[in-house]
Amino acid sequence: MDKARLATALGAPSGFGQSQFALTRGNAFEAKVKADGGAELLRLVHARLDPGAEAPAGAAVPDLTAHGPEGRTARTALALREAVRAGGWTLLDHPMLALDVAGSLAFLEPDAVVVHPDGGWSVVEIKSFPMVDGSADPAKVGAAARQAAVYVLALEEVAARLDPVPRVHHRVLLVCPRDFSNLPTGSAVDVRKQRAVTARQLARLTRVEEIAGALPEGTCFAPDRSAEELTAAVEAVPATYAPECLAACELAFHCRERARAAGAVTRLGRPLRAELGGLATVGEVLAAAHGETGDPDDPAVAALRRAAALRAEALRSADEAAALRAEALRAAGRAPSPRAEAGEVSACP
Amino acid sequence: MSLITTLARLEAVGSGRAQPAATVRHRHLSDRPLVFVPLTTAGETGAPLGALVGTDRDAPRLLAVPQPRDRDLRFAFLADLADIVLPYVDAYAASVEAAERTETDPETGKRVKVEAELCADAPQLIVPSRAGLDFVRLLGRSMRFRRTAEQDPDAPYPAPPRVPLLGRWLTHYGERSRVPGSSLLLALTEVLSRHWATGQSGLEDQHLGALLAWIDPPDGLTGAEAARRAELERDPAGQLLCPPAGPATDPAFDNKLLAPAIERYDRARTALAAAEDPLEADDRLAALTAAERDVRDLVASRTRPTWDAVWRGLDLLRALPAGAQVEGRWTRDRWSFTGHRDRVLAGEPPQPRRDDAVTAANKLATREREQGRLEAQEALDDPLVMAGRRLTGEAFAGEVTDVVPAYSEGKRPSPRPLVTVRTDDRPHLAERAKVYRSLNGRPQSAEYVGCEGDGVLVVRILDKMGRGKEPEPGSVPEKGDRVCFTLFEHEQRGGAKLPDPEETPWTHGGPPGEPAPEAPDTVTEEDVL
């Protein structure tokens, strides 16, 4: 399902897109890293992940072309098995892996997978954000680590089918441009935590068939339907919007609108739920805070009323202070015009 | 986010307008700040695309790089930027006043006061958003190790003069912005969201247009509607009406407008280089100039709305009265500025790529201390911030219902009066816990004695009552006074002194040794900066 098209049909298009400058630069960098049969890349893998092994000269780079994603997945699995049997270094350029996500098969394409001489496998992730003085943007490194963790899980499934089971390294190699050049530099990233989190989340996911089974008969997400029909169809799938969705999902703007219409408090951030106890909508919270509804013995309600009273008191005292200041200014004969007091703020165009 | 801020955000949702999160301004604002609205090229590290910069809201200077991959054009941009920023910095560096500074005497080890110069004011740099802060840091890092032809005649790509100096200043400003409460370099979105609570999440508050839409929505629109418009609305050509505050640009702008314009510029330049006779060259030069102007216009069209928004945000902030202790924190910024000015004048090398252990530990200690100071000062300056601390049990306010004179035991009894306070707050007081209140701007400490029923607390005042047997008038609260005691200290104590760098223990890498001059970055044919 094309969620971006669906979002557009719903009237809340996603803001995702990639600049062609970034795309060109990213591709050029990856090509440079993998040039000469991946010599530079293997040198980095050797130096950062497996310095004890022999130097990677003349590594095998098997051809992985095949028909369709299933064909490529099978070809990759075969190449991995052969590489372990052959020993030595092998570089798999853009292999294809399959991972079971909630009952449906997802195909993944890591930038590269390297087979070590001892038969171990490791994932290589090539990114075009820079590593300046040995450190990179933590948010981007975190995203890369989460992505690599998924590849590690998929590789482990392939490995489990072999005998003896080869080791899949939990340290992946992140390759980035160094400083302000486009020379590659690498850093080992430990993805054990991300791997564990992803594995747990995958195990907990509701299976796609169950979600589909719970949908009313005739639900259809085809983008050529009317916005009302689609809204009803999307509504049938339960989702809880939180601001983090904006960075990850094409439908986030749609869900945000729905959350706003429903008055859900989580659209201001997930932690709010913990603070507000059982109060889930803005209306409920405000009514409870102003003493109109809610059980005063409920600790969340009591805390809210206290907060509302303190806030009102503080704002009142600030207003009094502002009035005093204005009075003092007037007394000093420098009465400000109301226009200056408002800060001469022009309206938004 | 504390419950009181959460409530303010929800009130903003309810009323459709941002609600105050502070009643005074907690950051210093210069009368003449330098506003810097940069744009960068997607995917290229620190390859600026252009910027609006200046101190006059009606006359910003537009700088643009028609081909960001061209090193000479980037250097020209940086040289232009240096020509704007450095004279602004120099103007402040020149005007000094006499001040005193405490230093440790190297011979006696005592703390002594020494005469020092302090710049009377400091330049202030304003960027639109947090990403702008990172960009200032990145620009600083990319420039400060460059070599000019004068420093190193053999440098393969010499930088224009003054560019390395600009790099050092931007690095200093970028580092200083990490100190809580400092105002040398401010990201407007951060300052605005410190003072107003909007009806959207903190993540969405990083969009300057949406944030301003909540604080000051145009007539006839609620904050939510205006914010949505600022975030998403596009013109018929698919371009955002309110472009992102940068430095990153919208991909639709890159792909539909910028890329074709840069390509036209490239073609015009190739054509000019291939021109064979002067007449033809003249025509082609005109075409090149036109292509360059197109890129400049595009950069201007994406930066000008942000530029105007920044000044509007500054207006909103200026309408708030400054907090009482903002000036004191600005003085620390002035010391920081003066210190760096002196290091530059003394010919010290640029800031190293990595700090040694002692410098790094000192920086962390400073940030921690300043964080504590900022939290205490903001609460004391602002009843709304204090309300948040009262809610969490870190302070209590109430009316004095009784004052009983009492004295300390010993040869010379001193006054230790007992004060009974009736309060609705629920402070987390342990037995004999110290509490503090502000007495004419200085902290007076007291000790918690006990609780005499629901909401009736007794404290014993301990100091600031003078040397006599009777407390000085005004130093002890009287019956009927409103008082506010805090459980946190008002002033920060310095931590343990760190060893000199030469005495760095082996656990932290040992002494750093003689500082070797940092080598410039290696340059390659296709690198970006």
Side-chain angles (χ1 to χ4, degrees):
Chain A
M1 188 166 73
D2 187 344
K3 285 206 292 184
R5 274 183 65 202
L6 179 60
T8 310
L10 283 165
S14 73
F16 291 105
Q18 198 175 15
S19 161
Q20 65 184 75
F21 300 117
L23 211 62
T24 322
R25 170 93 174 154
N27 290 343
F29 180 65
E30 189 176 333
K32 189 178 165 79
V33 171
K34 288 183 176 166
D36 297 334
E40 180 61 21
L41 194 148
L42 284 161
R43 190 188 65 75
L44 286 169
V45 172
H46 177 248
R48 308 275 179 221
L49 294 182
D50 198 0
E54 63 191 83
V61 185
D63 177 25
L64 298 175
T65 46
H67 191 68
E70 290 88 353
R72 286 181 60 194
T73 311
R75 186 75 197 80
T76 301
L78 200 67
L80 280 167
R81 183 184 312 173
E82 277 167 9
V84 174
R85 195 180 308 143
W89 291 94
T90 307
L91 169 68
L92 278 75
D93 183 5
H94 282 290
M96 182 140 291
L97 305 168
L99 188 68
D100 179 271
V101 180
S104 75
L105 216 51
F107 291 98
L108 314 166
E109 194 179 352
D111 289 329
V113 168
V114 171
V115 179
H116 297 245
D118 65 359
W121 304 350
S122 46
V123 172
V124 177
E125 195 49 42
I126 301 170
K127 292 286 176 197
S128 57
F129 56 81
M131 220 181 269
V132 178
D133 298 339
S135 69
D137 182 350
K140 288 176 177 162
V141 175
R146 282 193 295 279
Q147 191 183 345
V150 182
Y151 301 148
V152 168
L153 281 173
L155 269 181
E156 281 176 351
E157 281 189 15
V158 180
R161 290 197 289 272
L162 300 186
D163 184 41
V165 177
R167 180 165 156 238
V168 180
H169 289 262
H170 288 172
R171 287 194 337 143
V172 303
L173 183 72
L174 179 64
V175 180
C176 294
R178 195 179 72 205
D179 299 343
F180 301 94
S181 70
N182 65 351
L183 301 172
T185 181
S187 180
V189 180
D190 190 331
V191 297
R192 273 178 300 182
K193 190 171 162 217
Q194 288 84 352
R195 186 197 150 273
V197 169
T198 313
R200 190 178 133 267
Q201 283 173 342
L202 284 176
R204 276 167 43 117
L205 277 182
T206 318
R207 298 186 66 77
V208 171
E209 300 97 81
E210 282 172 34
I211 298 176
L215 292 182
E217 200 67 27
T219 304
C220 181
F221 298 105
D224 52 1
R225 304 232 161 176
S226 74
E228 291 84 59
E229 277 178 286
L230 285 173
T231 306
V234 172
E235 204 81 328
V237 185
T240 311
Y241 165 81
E244 292 81 10
C245 297
L246 288 171
C249 177
E250 292 87 345
L251 288 173
F253 286 127
H254 173 74
C255 292
R256 187 175 72 174
E257 280 309 300
R258 307 300 299 172
R260 177 172 298 161
V265 292
T266 43
R267 78 159 202 272
L268 297 182
R270 281 206 179 105
L272 259 72
R273 277 272 276 279
E275 274 180 355
L276 298 172
L279 306 167
T281 69
V282 177
E284 268 174 33
V285 174
L286 290 179
H290 300 139
E292 291 152 18
T293 58
D295 174 9
D297 290 334
D298 178 349
V301 174
L304 264 175
R305 289 198 182 157
R306 185 93 199 90
L310 280 171
R311 199 176 141 72
E313 183 195 320
L315 287 174
R316 216 168 31 241
S317 72
D319 281 347
E320 281 163 17
L324 278 178
R325 254 195 321 272
E327 191 63 39
L329 276 179
R330 253 192 298 280
R334 289 190 295 137
S337 70
R339 193 172 145 75
E341 201 141 289
E344 278 188 56
V345 176
S346 61
C348 179
Chain B
M1 198 163 42
S2 71
L3 186 62
I4 211 154
T5 330
T6 303
L7 183 69
R9 281 188 184 268
L10 291 168
E11 278 175 358
V13 174
S15 65
R17 223 187 149 95
Q19 295 296 312
T23 61
V24 294
R25 177 158 46 74
H26 291 292
R27 297 289 181 278
H28 176 84
L29 282 186
S30 161
D31 293 334
R32 207 173 139 258
L34 184 81
V35 174
F36 180 43
V37 180
L39 288 186
T40 181
T41 320
E44 311 269 343
T45 313
L49 170 67
L52 276 186
V53 56
T55 53
D56 181 353
R57 75 189 296 168
D58 297 318
R61 278 282 303 277
L62 171 68
L63 305 176
V65 187
Q67 170 48 279
R69 297 192 57 84
D70 184 308
R71 193 192 316 264
D72 293 336
L73 294 175
R74 283 196 312 268
F75 273 162
F77 168 89
L78 296 175
D80 287 346
L81 188 63
D83 285 342
I84 299 170
V85 176
L86 291 178
Y88 174 70
V89 169
D90 290 342
Y92 286 90
S95 142
V96 292
E97 61 187 32
E100 276 187 340
R101 191 169 56 192
T102 19
E103 268 181 11
T104 312
D105 191 295
E107 280 170 20
T108 60
K110 280 186 194 149
R111 305 283 284 164
V112 288
K113 296 231 186 250
V114 289
E115 297 265 314
E117 272 189 350
L118 173 63
C119 291
D121 200 359
Q124 184 176 43
L125 201 58
I126 310 259
V127 292
S129 62
R130 197 180 308 166
L133 295 183
D134 293 334
F135 192 67
V136 166
R137 234 172 258 141
L138 193 75
L139 277 182
R141 166 64 186 80
S142 76
M143 284 186 277
R144 68 178 195 262
F145 299 121
R146 291 275 155 200
R147 296 284 166 90
T148 59
E150 198 178 312
Q151 287 167 323
D152 179 5
D154 300 329
Y157 301 99
R162 284 159 74 80
V163 160
L165 183 60
L166 176 66
R168 297 174 62 176
W169 273 112
L170 292 188
T171 303
H172 183 74
Y173 269 61
E175 273 300 292
R176 181 71 191 170
S177 74
R178 289 188 158 133
V179 175
S182 73
S183 302
L184 280 186
L185 167 62
L186 290 176
L188 195 67
T189 50
E190 294 200 333
V191 185
L192 285 174
S193 48
R194 172 69 195 87
H195 294 86
W196 279 276
T198 64
Q200 59 186 0
S201 68
L203 214 67
E204 291 153 303
D205 275 351
Q206 291 178 27
H207 189 293
L208 180 60
L211 184 59
L212 281 172
W214 271 102
I215 297 173
D216 183 29
D219 293 336
L221 283 183
T222 66
E225 288 160 352
R228 205 186 121 78
R229 247 176 50 174
E231 255 182 333
L232 295 173
E233 204 160 47
R234 287 173 187 271
D235 64 11
Q239 297 301 322
L240 287 169
L241 288 183
C242 178
T249 46
D250 179 32
F253 165 74
D254 280 9
N255 295 342
K256 288 203 185 126
L257 300 178
L258 185 62
I262 289 181
E263 211 181 299
R264 274 198 302 280
Y265 174 82
D266 280 346
R267 269 204 307 273
R269 202 153 67 147
T270 321
L272 176 64
E276 280 168 359
D277 61 83
L279 212 59
E280 197 180 29
D282 262 2
D283 284 351
R284 292 184 179 178
L285 186 61
L288 181 68
T289 317
E292 190 179 334
R293 203 175 48 235
D294 284 352
V295 178
R296 286 179 67 85
D297 288 348
L298 282 176
V299 171
S301 72
R302 296 305 113 166
T303 44
R304 188 65 203 227
T306 309
W307 170 270
D308 292 335
V310 168
W311 287 99
R312 224 178 103 213
L314 290 176
D315 285 342
L316 289 165
L317 286 166
R318 286 209 175 103
L320 289 173
Q325 295 175 85
V326 167
E327 194 58 42
R329 290 200 295 274
W330 178 245
T331 306
R332 289 169 185 280
D333 281 328
R334 281 162 54 203
W335 277 114
S336 163
F337 171 72
T338 313
H340 192 251
R341 177 199 75 144
D342 294 344
R343 280 191 291 278
V344 169
L345 286 179
E348 286 189 24
Q351 301 93 326
R353 286 185 171 81
R354 278 166 190 270
D355 290 322
D356 61 73
V358 172
T359 310
N362 268 327
K363 272 188 186 170
L364 279 181
T366 306
R367 287 177 207 167
E368 268 177 34
R369 196 177 58 239
E370 292 301 318
Q371 180 69 41
R373 187 196 310 276
L374 180 68
E375 281 173 9
Q377 292 189 341
E378 285 192 347
L380 294 170
D381 283 356
D382 187 343
L384 194 50
V385 180
M386 187 62 93
R389 305 297 288 261
R390 287 164 63 191
L391 183 66
T392 50
E394 293 170 282
F396 61 95
E399 194 185 312
V400 175
T401 56
D402 198 11
V403 181
V404 180
Y407 295 89
S408 64
E409 290 166 13
K411 257 190 242 162
R412 269 190 62 210
S414 330
R416 292 287 182 268
L418 291 165
V419 176
T420 310
V421 182
R422 174 180 294 281
T423 174
D424 295 332
D425 299 334
R426 300 266 175 282
H428 300 309
L429 283 166
E431 208 179 323
R432 294 175 66 92
K434 281 273 204 104
V435 293
Y436 310 87
R437 70 164 186 147
S438 176
L439 182 69
N440 306 324
R442 297 180 55 205
Q444 181 178 46
S445 51
E447 184 184 77
Y448 175 58
V449 177
C451 177
E452 288 186 350
D454 195 25
V456 181
L457 307 170
V458 181
V459 297
R460 176 182 287 127
I461 307 282
L462 298 178
D463 57 10
K464 301 276 186 306
M465 289 173 289
R467 293 168 166 273
K469 187 164 174 351
E470 292 307 316
E472 278 176 11
S475 64
V476 176
E478 285 169 27
K479 194 173 168 184
D481 282 358
R482 292 278 307 171
V483 288
C484 180
F485 282 99
T486 68
L487 277 66
F488 53 85
E489 290 189 46
H490 297 183
E491 278 169 12
Q492 297 298 307
R493 261 177 272 166
K497 200 180 162 303
L498 291 164
D500 287 329
E502 304 83 65
E503 318 243 305
T504 312
W506 62 270
T507 46
H508 292 69
E514 274 300 298
E518 292 261 354
D521 292 315
T522 46
V523 283
T524 52
E525 196 47 53
E526 22 358 16
D527 69 345
V528 284
L529 252 175

